[in-house]
Amino acid sequence: MTLVLPPRLTASAQSLRDAAHRRGLRSVQLRTFDVPAGLRADHLHAGPSFADVVAPLLGIAPLEAEPGWLTGLPRELTRREITLVAIGEAYELRRPAFIKSPNDKNIPAMIYTDGSRLPGPDAVDRQTPVLVSDIVDFTAEYRLHVLDAVVYAGSQYAKHGRLHLGPPSTDALAFGADLIAGYGHTLPSAIVVDIGLVDGHWAVIEANAAWASGAYVADPDLVLDVVLRAAGPTASVTARDRQFIRRPQLTAAL
């Protein structure tokens, strides 16, 4: 099996590459987004832009959560109101909100004082979906790698909004397990879920594609298991996971 990597590697990608080599897998790091003639590969670990170009050419199916997944969770699990709207509608917002792309980085994830601060229609198609969220303060944040409805690996990555690496707490793992027990059927079989504390209560931050997510200090061998499932051969995708195969959104103005 071969793992395809992008031109620039993060420290997390390097650790996954090393874990793959220890397992006897081959890795190929492309110099550009161009796929060399004759290249065959089975898996991918990279950002969405790279995956959108490379994965279809190699027959790899990246899995991700539905864009509106967060909006389907009850308020007691999110601790905030979240809506999925077209960015053209978000332009009309006249209040501060946290706004981001559901599964991409095309719309920078940040607090916007109002909708006029978003990238304009000259840069983004008006139908591009965005998640609009109430502003909350996460005092601690954790990343959980999930495989087959089990919290497979995890790491703390932030405290009071600043990078803070460490093992996941027992309570974080317990909340993650309860979340997946109740809502794992709404996610692909391999996914990353970020959770955190808001006013002393656990809440879901977001779901991220495992093939595009950093591992922080989680066990890279366990994370690799999740990544391999999250972006593997299209022919191997189960019937359950087919609905979660990534379909890139239009982001450029038409």
Side-chain angles (χ1 to χ4, degrees):
M1 291 193 297
T2 299
L3 175 69
V4 173
L5 299 167
R8 299 182 63 180
L9 299 186
T10 63
S12 178
Q14 292 176 27
S15 69
L16 288 181
R17 177 200 59 194
D18 294 344
H21 291 172
R22 288 195 298 271
R23 195 174 296 189
L25 305 184
R26 177 172 173 259
S27 70
V28 174
Q29 183 180 358
L30 300 187
R31 293 187 176 184
T32 68
F33 283 25
D34 294 327
V35 177
L39 176 65
R40 294 187 177 183
D42 313 279
H43 304 278
L44 174 147
H45 179 64
S49 297
F50 182 88
D52 287 346
V53 175
V54 173
L57 297 176
L58 294 175
I60 294 173
L63 305 180
E64 65 184 10
E66 295 287 350
W69 179 72
L70 271 176
T71 67
L73 297 179
R75 182 68 175 262
E76 59 264 27
L77 290 179
T78 63
R79 301 290 167 178
R80 63 204 189 278
E81 180 181 352
I82 308 168
T83 57
L84 179 72
V85 301
I87 196 170
E89 181 180 340
Y91 289 149
E92 305 304 318
L93 281 173
R94 291 299 175 262
R95 61 176 175 83
F98 183 86
I99 303 175
K100 68 181 293 291
S101 298
N103 289 317
D104 294 292
K105 301 184 185 298
N106 298 302
I107 309 302
M110 57 183 287
I111 294 173
Y112 293 85
T113 53
D114 60 54
S116 69
R117 304 293 183 176
L118 288 161
D122 59 329
V124 181
D125 185 88
R126 292 181 65 91
Q127 296 306 309
T128 299
V130 292
L131 287 167
V132 179
S133 170
D134 288 342
I135 299 169
V136 296
D137 180 23
F138 286 98
T139 56
E141 300 170 59
Y142 299 83
R143 171 156 294 173
L144 306 177
H145 282 76
V146 178
L147 182 63
D148 290 330
V150 173
V151 177
Y152 210 64
S155 173
Q156 181 174 1
Y157 64 88
K159 187 175 183 179
H160 297 292
R162 295 180 179 273
L163 184 67
H164 183 90
L165 302 181
S169 69
T170 300
D171 288 344
L173 294 174
F175 175 75
D178 288 345
L179 171 70
I180 298 306
Y183 294 90
H185 66 284
T186 64
L187 290 167
S189 64
I191 193 71
V192 161
V193 178
D194 291 346
I195 63 173
L197 283 169
V198 177
D199 296 327
H201 298 282
W202 287 101
V204 180
I205 299 174
E206 60 186 352
N208 290 302
W211 47 266
S213 297
Y216 296 112
V217 296
D219 185 329
D221 291 294
L222 296 178
V223 170
L224 180 63
D225 288 332
V226 183
V227 171
L228 294 179
R229 174 76 65 79
T234 302
S236 298
V237 176
T238 64
R240 176 198 181 282
D241 275 338
R242 285 175 194 157
Q243 64 182 307
F244 300 111
I245 296 176
R246 175 177 171 81
R247 294 169 181 82
Q249 299 289 329
L250 289 174
T251 54
L254 299 178

